[in-house]
Amino acid sequence: MAVRGFLFSAFVVLALSSCGAIEASAPVLPNANAGQCQKDIDCKGDRICEHGTCAAPVARVAEQAAAPTQANLSAAHISADDEKAALAQAVAAYIAQSKAEAIETSLIESEEFRKLVRGDINGDGLADLVASTLFAIEGSNTDFQQLFVFEQRDGKLVLVDSNAAEAGKLADFDIAGGKLQVSYLDYADDDSRCCPSIEYKKQFVIAAGKLAQRG
């Protein structure tokens, strides 16, 4: 009887030990408060696992927020042909106006001296256009440069001003810091007509659809 009792006790101990081993090896399922994920591969796409929750990377969110929309990209694009057409129209109108103001005088443009500069003058993130060209007064030896300033509106170039050059004294121009920077040359007392030597600068911005001097 003692032997049979010992064998029965040993059997019970082994059975309990086996049950404990099976229970210990069983997988532990996460509860409802454990979150959606445990590591990045548990998330879809490029999302990452943060504190048990799948979320978009902060850097990617910031990048997408800063990226321009397709509509803005389209609006920001003005082709070279559009620029040429806008300038040609402005030049023709300027010549016609000059002819009307001086009936016996006509201007002739020298297209080879055209210069075009693109940049944002009004701070809206779109490329505006500033162009210069050389005019000669028909029947004389007089020529001068003139500026044409265009603002981009609704995907088109709109002429804002054509008198910023102070005709005959324009040296150079550029767009920087949201301003049109213009350099002029003026004559010293002993300068010949060909070669003015005094340089000075002015800054312009587009405000309320008009060109205004700053500084």
Side-chain angles (χ1 to χ4, degrees):
M1 291 294 294
V3 174
R4 293 177 63 184
F6 173 79
L7 292 175
F8 177 79
S9 299
F11 175 79
V12 172
V13 171
L14 289 174
L16 291 174
S17 298
S18 299
C19 290
I22 294 173
E23 289 179 358
S25 62
V28 179
L29 298 177
N31 58 39
N33 296 324
Q36 301 175 350
C37 60
Q38 294 182 358
K39 47 192 175 181
D40 291 348
I41 60 174
D42 296 335
C43 301
K44 294 182 179 180
D46 61 353
R47 300 205 301 171
I48 61 176
C49 185
E50 292 185 350
H51 308 295
T53 302
C54 293
V58 175
R60 180 64 58 84
V61 172
E63 178 182 329
Q64 291 175 348
T69 63
Q70 188 62 41
N72 287 339
L73 287 174
S74 299
H77 178 70
I78 298 293
S79 70
D81 289 339
D82 292 336
E83 292 175 342
K84 185 176 180 180
L87 180 56
Q89 183 178 3
V91 167
Y94 182 70
I95 291 175
Q97 179 183 355
S98 300
K99 180 69 174 179
E101 293 175 353
I103 298 176
E104 296 181 358
T105 301
S106 182
L107 299 180
I108 302 173
E109 183 201 7
S110 299
E111 293 189 21
E112 64 269 25
F113 291 101
R114 286 183 178 181
K115 176 184 177 180
L116 283 71
V117 173
R118 302 160 190 84
D120 182 12
I121 307 177
N122 56 9
D124 62 359
L126 302 178
D128 304 306
L129 175 69
V130 180
S132 69
T133 190
L134 182 70
F135 289 104
I137 299 177
E138 187 176 19
S140 74
N141 293 324
T142 303
D143 57 32
F144 63 91
Q145 288 176 289
Q146 187 77 357
L147 274 183
F148 295 89
V149 181
F150 300 86
E151 181 181 35
Q152 186 179 162
R153 301 175 191 169
D154 299 325
K156 297 181 180 180
L157 293 172
V158 179
L159 181 65
V160 172
D161 203 331
S162 62
N163 298 309
E166 298 192 357
K169 302 178 183 178
L170 175 64
D172 200 5
F173 62 95
D174 196 6
I175 298 173
K179 296 181 177 66
L180 169 61
Q181 318 275 356
V182 186
S183 298
Y184 302 95
L185 290 174
D186 205 351
Y187 293 94
D189 293 338
D190 56 350
D191 286 342
S192 61
R193 184 183 177 282
C194 72
C195 309
S197 61
I198 301 175
E199 183 177 3
Y200 63 99
K201 298 181 179 181
K202 290 185 179 182
Q203 293 183 340
F204 300 87
V205 296
I206 296 178
K210 296 182 179 180
L211 199 67
Q213 185 176 339
R214 289 289 184 268

PDB file of all heavy atoms in Angstrom, residues 2-38:
ATOM      1  N   ALA A   2       1.970   1.183   0.799  1.00  0.00           N
ATOM      2  CA  ALA A   2       2.844   2.361   0.847  1.00  0.00           C
ATOM      3  C   ALA A   2       3.435   2.658  -0.518  1.00  0.00           C
ATOM      4  O   ALA A   2       3.557   3.800  -0.944  1.00  0.00           O
ATOM      5  CB  ALA A   2       3.948   2.118   1.910  1.00  0.00           C
ATOM      6  N   VAL A   3       3.819   1.597  -1.222  1.00  0.00           N
ATOM      7  CA  VAL A   3       4.403   1.769  -2.553  1.00  0.00           C
ATOM      8  C   VAL A   3       3.397   2.353  -3.513  1.00  0.00           C
ATOM      9  O   VAL A   3       3.678   3.256  -4.283  1.00  0.00           O
ATOM     10  CB  VAL A   3       4.946   0.432  -3.092  1.00  0.00           C
ATOM     11  CG1 VAL A   3       5.415   0.563  -4.523  1.00  0.00           C
ATOM     12  CG2 VAL A   3       6.066  -0.083  -2.201  1.00  0.00           C
ATOM     13  N   ARG A   4       2.164   1.826  -3.459  1.00  0.00           N
ATOM     14  CA  ARG A   4       1.123   2.335  -4.365  1.00  0.00           C
ATOM     15  C   ARG A   4       0.811   3.778  -4.048  1.00  0.00           C
ATOM     16  O   ARG A   4       0.586   4.617  -4.929  1.00  0.00           O
ATOM     17  CB  ARG A   4      -0.128   1.458  -4.224  1.00  0.00           C
ATOM     18  CG  ARG A   4       0.088   0.031  -4.747  1.00  0.00           C
ATOM     19  CD  ARG A   4      -1.134  -0.814  -4.532  1.00  0.00           C
ATOM     20  NE  ARG A   4      -2.244  -0.271  -5.294  1.00  0.00           N
ATOM     21  CZ  ARG A   4      -3.480  -0.768  -5.248  1.00  0.00           C
ATOM     22  NH1 ARG A   4      -3.742  -1.786  -4.440  1.00  0.00           N
ATOM     23  NH2 ARG A   4      -4.435  -0.235  -5.986  1.00  0.00           N
ATOM     24  N   GLY A   5       0.813   4.139  -2.754  1.00  0.00           N
ATOM     25  CA  GLY A   5       0.565   5.539  -2.382  1.00  0.00           C
ATOM     26  C   GLY A   5       1.664   6.454  -2.879  1.00  0.00           C
ATOM     27  O   GLY A   5       1.415   7.559  -3.362  1.00  0.00           O
ATOM     28  N   PHE A   6       2.911   5.956  -2.797  1.00  0.00           N
ATOM     29  CA  PHE A   6       4.028   6.759  -3.292  1.00  0.00           C
ATOM     30  C   PHE A   6       3.939   6.971  -4.795  1.00  0.00           C
ATOM     31  O   PHE A   6       4.152   8.065  -5.317  1.00  0.00           O
ATOM     32  CB  PHE A   6       5.350   6.060  -2.945  1.00  0.00           C
ATOM     33  CG  PHE A   6       6.547   6.720  -3.552  1.00  0.00           C
ATOM     34  CD1 PHE A   6       7.083   7.873  -2.992  1.00  0.00           C
ATOM     35  CD2 PHE A   6       7.122   6.217  -4.720  1.00  0.00           C
ATOM     36  CE1 PHE A   6       8.167   8.491  -3.559  1.00  0.00           C
ATOM     37  CE2 PHE A   6       8.213   6.845  -5.276  1.00  0.00           C
ATOM     38  CZ  PHE A   6       8.735   7.981  -4.712  1.00  0.00           C
ATOM     39  N   LEU A   7       3.606   5.915  -5.519  1.00  0.00           N
ATOM     40  CA  LEU A   7       3.487   6.046  -6.977  1.00  0.00           C
ATOM     41  C   LEU A   7       2.362   6.991  -7.361  1.00  0.00           C
ATOM     42  O   LEU A   7       2.478   7.783  -8.317  1.00  0.00           O
ATOM     43  CB  LEU A   7       3.234   4.646  -7.591  1.00  0.00           C
ATOM     44  CG  LEU A   7       4.398   3.667  -7.502  1.00  0.00           C
ATOM     45  CD1 LEU A   7       3.968   2.297  -8.028  1.00  0.00           C
ATOM     46  CD2 LEU A   7       5.591   4.203  -8.270  1.00  0.00           C
ATOM     47  N   PHE A   8       1.264   6.934  -6.636  1.00  0.00           N
ATOM     48  CA  PHE A   8       0.146   7.837  -6.934  1.00  0.00           C
ATOM     49  C   PHE A   8       0.542   9.292  -6.690  1.00  0.00           C
ATOM     50  O   PHE A   8       0.254  10.183  -7.497  1.00  0.00           O
ATOM     51  CB  PHE A   8      -1.055   7.465  -6.059  1.00  0.00           C
ATOM     52  CG  PHE A   8      -2.232   8.381  -6.254  1.00  0.00           C
ATOM     53  CD1 PHE A   8      -3.072   8.236  -7.347  1.00  0.00           C
ATOM     54  CD2 PHE A   8      -2.474   9.421  -5.352  1.00  0.00           C
ATOM     55  CE1 PHE A   8      -4.136   9.077  -7.534  1.00  0.00           C
ATOM     56  CE2 PHE A   8      -3.553  10.268  -5.536  1.00  0.00           C
ATOM     57  CZ  PHE A   8      -4.390  10.116  -6.635  1.00  0.00           C
ATOM     58  N   SER A   9       1.263   9.550  -5.599  1.00  0.00           N
ATOM     59  CA  SER A   9       1.707  10.924  -5.288  1.00  0.00           C
ATOM     60  C   SER A   9       2.675  11.427  -6.347  1.00  0.00           C
ATOM     61  O   SER A   9       2.617  12.580  -6.792  1.00  0.00           O
ATOM     62  CB  SER A   9       2.373  10.958  -3.900  1.00  0.00           C
ATOM     63  OG  SER A   9       1.460  10.552  -2.900  1.00  0.00           O
ATOM     64  N   ALA A  10       3.593  10.582  -6.781  1.00  0.00           N
ATOM     65  CA  ALA A  10       4.558  10.981  -7.811  1.00  0.00           C
ATOM     66  C   ALA A  10       3.855  11.311  -9.108  1.00  0.00           C
ATOM     67  O   ALA A  10       4.210  12.249  -9.826  1.00  0.00           O
ATOM     68  CB  ALA A  10       5.580   9.836  -8.017  1.00  0.00           C
ATOM     69  N   PHE A  11       2.821  10.516  -9.454  1.00  0.00           N
ATOM     70  CA  PHE A  11       2.061  10.765 -10.683  1.00  0.00           C
ATOM     71  C   PHE A  11       1.372  12.127 -10.634  1.00  0.00           C
ATOM     72  O   PHE A  11       1.357  12.887 -11.595  1.00  0.00           O
ATOM     73  CB  PHE A  11       1.034   9.657 -10.869  1.00  0.00           C
ATOM     74  CG  PHE A  11       0.120   9.882 -12.039  1.00  0.00           C
ATOM     75  CD1 PHE A  11       0.533   9.609 -13.336  1.00  0.00           C
ATOM     76  CD2 PHE A  11      -1.159  10.407 -11.839  1.00  0.00           C
ATOM     77  CE1 PHE A  11      -0.303   9.832 -14.407  1.00  0.00           C
ATOM     78  CE2 PHE A  11      -1.984  10.624 -12.914  1.00  0.00           C
ATOM     79  CZ  PHE A  11      -1.575  10.357 -14.205  1.00  0.00           C
ATOM     80  N   VAL A  12       0.801  12.441  -9.462  1.00  0.00           N
ATOM     81  CA  VAL A  12       0.125  13.740  -9.312  1.00  0.00           C
ATOM     82  C   VAL A  12       1.102  14.882  -9.460  1.00  0.00           C
ATOM     83  O   VAL A  12       0.845  15.888 -10.117  1.00  0.00           O
ATOM     84  CB  VAL A  12      -0.603  13.801  -7.948  1.00  0.00           C
ATOM     85  CG1 VAL A  12      -1.126  15.199  -7.691  1.00  0.00           C
ATOM     86  CG2 VAL A  12      -1.719  12.777  -7.901  1.00  0.00           C
ATOM     87  N   VAL A  13       2.285  14.747  -8.831  1.00  0.00           N
ATOM     88  CA  VAL A  13       3.305  15.802  -8.930  1.00  0.00           C
ATOM     89  C   VAL A  13       3.744  16.007 -10.365  1.00  0.00           C
ATOM     90  O   VAL A  13       3.885  17.124 -10.860  1.00  0.00           O
ATOM     91  CB  VAL A  13       4.508  15.449  -8.034  1.00  0.00           C
ATOM     92  CG1 VAL A  13       5.660  16.407  -8.294  1.00  0.00           C
ATOM     93  CG2 VAL A  13       4.097  15.487  -6.576  1.00  0.00           C
ATOM     94  N   LEU A  14       3.973  14.917 -11.118  1.00  0.00           N
ATOM     95  CA  LEU A  14       4.389  15.023 -12.517  1.00  0.00           C
ATOM     96  C   LEU A  14       3.321  15.670 -13.375  1.00  0.00           C
ATOM     97  O   LEU A  14       3.602  16.479 -14.265  1.00  0.00           O
ATOM     98  CB  LEU A  14       4.723  13.614 -13.061  1.00  0.00           C
ATOM     99  CG  LEU A  14       5.990  12.972 -12.517  1.00  0.00           C
ATOM    100  CD1 LEU A  14       6.110  11.520 -13.019  1.00  0.00           C
ATOM    101  CD2 LEU A  14       7.219  13.773 -12.944  1.00  0.00           C
ATOM    102  N   ALA A  15       2.057  15.306 -13.112  1.00  0.00           N
ATOM    103  CA  ALA A  15       0.950  15.887 -13.882  1.00  0.00           C
ATOM    104  C   ALA A  15       0.860  17.381 -13.662  1.00  0.00           C
ATOM    105  O   ALA A  15       0.669  18.164 -14.591  1.00  0.00           O
ATOM    106  CB  ALA A  15      -0.357  15.179 -13.498  1.00  0.00           C
ATOM    107  N   LEU A  16       0.995  17.781 -12.389  1.00  0.00           N
ATOM    108  CA  LEU A  16       0.932  19.217 -12.086  1.00  0.00           C
ATOM    109  C   LEU A  16       2.104  19.956 -12.707  1.00  0.00           C
ATOM    110  O   LEU A  16       1.968  21.077 -13.203  1.00  0.00           O
ATOM    111  CB  LEU A  16       0.930  19.419 -10.553  1.00  0.00           C
ATOM    112  CG  LEU A  16      -0.340  18.960  -9.829  1.00  0.00           C
ATOM    113  CD1 LEU A  16      -0.163  19.086  -8.325  1.00  0.00           C
ATOM    114  CD2 LEU A  16      -1.540  19.780 -10.296  1.00  0.00           C
ATOM    115  N   SER A  17       3.281  19.323 -12.674  1.00  0.00           N
ATOM    116  CA  SER A  17       4.464  19.954 -13.281  1.00  0.00           C
ATOM    117  C   SER A  17       4.268  20.129 -14.777  1.00  0.00           C
ATOM    118  O   SER A  17       4.624  21.147 -15.376  1.00  0.00           O
ATOM    119  CB  SER A  17       5.713  19.091 -13.011  1.00  0.00           C
ATOM    120  OG  SER A  17       5.943  18.990 -11.640  1.00  0.00           O
ATOM    121  N   SER A  18       3.691  19.145 -15.454  1.00  0.00           N
ATOM    122  CA  SER A  18       3.461  19.234 -16.898  1.00  0.00           C
ATOM    123  C   SER A  18       2.488  20.340 -17.219  1.00  0.00           C
ATOM    124  O   SER A  18       2.649  21.090 -18.171  1.00  0.00           O
ATOM    125  CB  SER A  18       2.925  17.890 -17.421  1.00  0.00           C
ATOM    126  OG  SER A  18       3.856  16.878 -17.182  1.00  0.00           O
ATOM    127  N   CYS A  19       1.438  20.469 -16.410  1.00  0.00           N
ATOM    128  CA  CYS A  19       0.454  21.550 -16.637  1.00  0.00           C
ATOM    129  C   CYS A  19       1.099  22.906 -16.496  1.00  0.00           C
ATOM    130  O   CYS A  19       0.850  23.838 -17.256  1.00  0.00           O
ATOM    131  CB  CYS A  19      -0.715  21.400 -15.645  1.00  0.00           C
ATOM    132  SG  CYS A  19      -1.749  19.964 -15.980  1.00  0.00           S
ATOM    133  N   GLY A  20       1.987  23.011 -15.450  1.00  0.00           N
ATOM    134  CA  GLY A  20       2.664  24.298 -15.270  1.00  0.00           C
ATOM    135  C   GLY A  20       3.545  24.629 -16.453  1.00  0.00           C
ATOM    136  O   GLY A  20       3.628  25.767 -16.901  1.00  0.00           O
ATOM    137  N   ALA A  21       4.215  23.624 -17.001  1.00  0.00           N
ATOM    138  CA  ALA A  21       5.090  23.859 -18.157  1.00  0.00           C
ATOM    139  C   ALA A  21       4.298  24.300 -19.350  1.00  0.00           C
ATOM    140  O   ALA A  21       4.697  25.185 -20.111  1.00  0.00           O
ATOM    141  CB  ALA A  21       5.876  22.572 -18.469  1.00  0.00           C
ATOM    142  N   ILE A  22       3.120  23.678 -19.555  1.00  0.00           N
ATOM    143  CA  ILE A  22       2.277  24.061 -20.697  1.00  0.00           C
ATOM    144  C   ILE A  22       1.762  25.467 -20.536  1.00  0.00           C
ATOM    145  O   ILE A  22       1.765  26.275 -21.454  1.00  0.00           O
ATOM    146  CB  ILE A  22       1.115  23.055 -20.839  1.00  0.00           C
ATOM    147  CG1 ILE A  22       1.645  21.681 -21.214  1.00  0.00           C
ATOM    148  CG2 ILE A  22       0.108  23.546 -21.854  1.00  0.00           C
ATOM    149  CD1 ILE A  22       0.594  20.593 -21.223  1.00  0.00           C
ATOM    150  N   GLU A  23       1.346  25.808 -19.317  1.00  0.00           N
ATOM    151  CA  GLU A  23       0.825  27.167 -19.093  1.00  0.00           C
ATOM    152  C   GLU A  23       1.917  28.203 -19.284  1.00  0.00           C
ATOM    153  O   GLU A  23       1.692  29.284 -19.828  1.00  0.00           O
ATOM    154  CB  GLU A  23       0.247  27.256 -17.690  1.00  0.00           C
ATOM    155  CG  GLU A  23      -1.045  26.477 -17.516  1.00  0.00           C
ATOM    156  CD  GLU A  23      -1.569  26.576 -16.098  1.00  0.00           C
ATOM    157  OE1 GLU A  23      -0.882  27.229 -15.283  1.00  0.00           O
ATOM    158  OE2 GLU A  23      -2.627  26.003 -15.831  1.00  0.00           O
ATOM    159  N   ALA A  24       3.133  27.929 -18.876  1.00  0.00           N
ATOM    160  CA  ALA A  24       4.217  28.899 -18.985  1.00  0.00           C
ATOM    161  C   ALA A  24       4.580  29.167 -20.435  1.00  0.00           C
ATOM    162  O   ALA A  24       5.011  30.249 -20.796  1.00  0.00           O
ATOM    163  CB  ALA A  24       5.438  28.385 -18.212  1.00  0.00           C
ATOM    164  N   SER A  25       4.441  28.166 -21.293  1.00  0.00           N
ATOM    165  CA  SER A  25       4.844  28.342 -22.694  1.00  0.00           C
ATOM    166  C   SER A  25       3.741  28.920 -23.565  1.00  0.00           C
ATOM    167  O   SER A  25       3.952  29.189 -24.736  1.00  0.00           O
ATOM    168  CB  SER A  25       5.300  27.000 -23.263  1.00  0.00           C
ATOM    169  OG  SER A  25       4.214  26.071 -23.242  1.00  0.00           O
ATOM    170  N   ALA A  26       2.545  29.089 -23.038  1.00  0.00           N
ATOM    171  CA  ALA A  26       1.438  29.619 -23.840  1.00  0.00           C
ATOM    172  C   ALA A  26       1.672  31.092 -24.143  1.00  0.00           C
ATOM    173  O   ALA A  26       2.167  31.846 -23.304  1.00  0.00           O
ATOM    174  CB  ALA A  26       0.128  29.430 -23.068  1.00  0.00           C
ATOM    175  N   PRO A  27       1.409  31.586 -25.374  1.00  0.00           N
ATOM    176  CA  PRO A  27       1.616  32.993 -25.731  1.00  0.00           C
ATOM    177  C   PRO A  27       0.701  33.907 -24.929  1.00  0.00           C
ATOM    178  O   PRO A  27      -0.435  33.553 -24.629  1.00  0.00           O
ATOM    179  CB  PRO A  27       1.258  33.029 -27.231  1.00  0.00           C
ATOM    180  CG  PRO A  27       0.354  31.872 -27.429  1.00  0.00           C
ATOM    181  CD  PRO A  27       0.818  30.810 -26.484  1.00  0.00           C
ATOM    182  N   VAL A  28       1.262  35.088 -24.592  1.00  0.00           N
ATOM    183  CA  VAL A  28       0.500  36.073 -23.826  1.00  0.00           C
ATOM    184  C   VAL A  28      -0.094  37.089 -24.800  1.00  0.00           C
ATOM    185  O   VAL A  28       0.645  37.776 -25.522  1.00  0.00           O
ATOM    186  CB  VAL A  28       1.400  36.798 -22.798  1.00  0.00           C
ATOM    187  CG1 VAL A  28       0.592  37.837 -22.042  1.00  0.00           C
ATOM    188  CG2 VAL A  28       2.003  35.772 -21.845  1.00  0.00           C
ATOM    189  N   LEU A  29      -1.373  37.188 -24.858  1.00  0.00           N
ATOM    190  CA  LEU A  29      -2.033  38.127 -25.766  1.00  0.00           C
ATOM    191  C   LEU A  29      -2.095  39.510 -25.139  1.00  0.00           C
ATOM    192  O   LEU A  29      -2.357  39.636 -23.938  1.00  0.00           O
ATOM    193  CB  LEU A  29      -3.451  37.635 -26.075  1.00  0.00           C
ATOM    194  CG  LEU A  29      -3.551  36.295 -26.787  1.00  0.00           C
ATOM    195  CD1 LEU A  29      -5.017  35.904 -26.947  1.00  0.00           C
ATOM    196  CD2 LEU A  29      -2.860  36.349 -28.131  1.00  0.00           C
ATOM    197  N   PRO A  30      -1.848  40.589 -25.903  1.00  0.00           N
ATOM    198  CA  PRO A  30      -1.924  41.935 -25.344  1.00  0.00           C
ATOM    199  C   PRO A  30      -3.357  42.285 -25.004  1.00  0.00           C
ATOM    200  O   PRO A  30      -4.289  41.884 -25.702  1.00  0.00           O
ATOM    201  CB  PRO A  30      -1.393  42.815 -26.484  1.00  0.00           C
ATOM    202  CG  PRO A  30      -1.643  42.031 -27.713  1.00  0.00           C
ATOM    203  CD  PRO A  30      -1.495  40.583 -27.325  1.00  0.00           C
ATOM    204  N   ASN A  31      -3.530  43.033 -23.917  1.00  0.00           N
ATOM    205  CA  ASN A  31      -4.877  43.464 -23.562  1.00  0.00           C
ATOM    206  C   ASN A  31      -5.276  44.692 -24.366  1.00  0.00           C
ATOM    207  O   ASN A  31      -4.483  45.232 -25.143  1.00  0.00           O
ATOM    208  CB  ASN A  31      -4.990  43.727 -22.049  1.00  0.00           C
ATOM    209  CG  ASN A  31      -3.994  44.779 -21.574  1.00  0.00           C
ATOM    210  OD1 ASN A  31      -3.757  45.755 -22.261  1.00  0.00           O
ATOM    211  ND2 ASN A  31      -3.408  44.564 -20.403  1.00  0.00           N
ATOM    212  N   ALA A  32      -6.470  45.176 -24.135  1.00  0.00           N
ATOM    213  CA  ALA A  32      -6.999  46.286 -24.940  1.00  0.00           C
ATOM    214  C   ALA A  32      -6.222  47.560 -24.737  1.00  0.00           C
ATOM    215  O   ALA A  32      -6.243  48.458 -25.585  1.00  0.00           O
ATOM    216  CB  ALA A  32      -8.475  46.517 -24.581  1.00  0.00           C
ATOM    217  N   ASN A  33      -5.482  47.704 -23.622  1.00  0.00           N
ATOM    218  CA  ASN A  33      -4.751  48.932 -23.320  1.00  0.00           C
ATOM    219  C   ASN A  33      -3.297  48.868 -23.772  1.00  0.00           C
ATOM    220  O   ASN A  33      -2.523  49.780 -23.523  1.00  0.00           O
ATOM    221  CB  ASN A  33      -4.790  49.200 -21.805  1.00  0.00           C
ATOM    222  CG  ASN A  33      -6.212  49.455 -21.325  1.00  0.00           C
ATOM    223  OD1 ASN A  33      -6.992  50.067 -22.033  1.00  0.00           O
ATOM    224  ND2 ASN A  33      -6.537  48.984 -20.125  1.00  0.00           N
ATOM    225  N   ALA A  34      -2.942  47.781 -24.442  1.00  0.00           N
ATOM    226  CA  ALA A  34      -1.542  47.610 -24.834  1.00  0.00           C
ATOM    227  C   ALA A  34      -1.192  48.408 -26.076  1.00  0.00           C
ATOM    228  O   ALA A  34      -0.039  48.515 -26.440  1.00  0.00           O
ATOM    229  CB  ALA A  34      -1.254  46.126 -25.073  1.00  0.00           C
ATOM    230  N   GLY A  35      -2.137  48.990 -26.791  1.00  0.00           N
ATOM    231  CA  GLY A  35      -1.862  49.787 -27.976  1.00  0.00           C
ATOM    232  C   GLY A  35      -2.000  49.017 -29.261  1.00  0.00           C
ATOM    233  O   GLY A  35      -2.321  47.827 -29.253  1.00  0.00           O
ATOM    234  N   GLN A  36      -1.738  49.702 -30.390  1.00  0.00           N
ATOM    235  CA  GLN A  36      -1.908  49.095 -31.698  1.00  0.00           C
ATOM    236  C   GLN A  36      -0.677  48.332 -32.155  1.00  0.00           C
ATOM    237  O   GLN A  36      -0.751  47.530 -33.058  1.00  0.00           O
ATOM    238  CB  GLN A  36      -2.217  50.190 -32.727  1.00  0.00           C
ATOM    239  CG  GLN A  36      -3.464  50.999 -32.414  1.00  0.00           C
ATOM    240  CD  GLN A  36      -3.635  52.140 -33.400  1.00  0.00           C
ATOM    241  OE1 GLN A  36      -2.744  52.429 -34.174  1.00  0.00           O
ATOM    242  NE2 GLN A  36      -4.788  52.772 -33.361  1.00  0.00           N
ATOM    243  N   CYS A  37       0.477  48.621 -31.584  1.00  0.00           N
ATOM    244  CA  CYS A  37       1.709  48.042 -32.104  1.00  0.00           C
ATOM    245  C   CYS A  37       2.727  47.878 -30.990  1.00  0.00           C
ATOM    246  O   CYS A  37       2.616  48.472 -29.910  1.00  0.00           O
ATOM    247  CB  CYS A  37       2.282  48.930 -33.208  1.00  0.00           C
ATOM    248  SG  CYS A  37       2.679  50.604 -32.629  1.00  0.00           S
ATOM    249  N   GLN A  38       3.748  47.068 -31.322  1.00  0.00           N
ATOM    250  CA  GLN A  38       4.884  46.905 -30.427  1.00  0.00           C
ATOM    251  C   GLN A  38       6.174  47.334 -31.098  1.00  0.00           C
ATOM    252  O   GLN A  38       7.141  47.654 -30.434  1.00  0.00           O
ATOM    253  CB  GLN A  38       4.967  45.447 -29.966  1.00  0.00           C
ATOM    254  CG  GLN A  38       3.794  45.006 -29.083  1.00  0.00           C
ATOM    255  CD  GLN A  38       3.934  43.571 -28.607  1.00  0.00           C
ATOM    256  OE1 GLN A  38       4.888  42.880 -28.959  1.00  0.00           O
ATOM    257  NE2 GLN A  38       2.991  43.139 -27.795  1.00  0.00           N
TER     258      GLN A  38
END
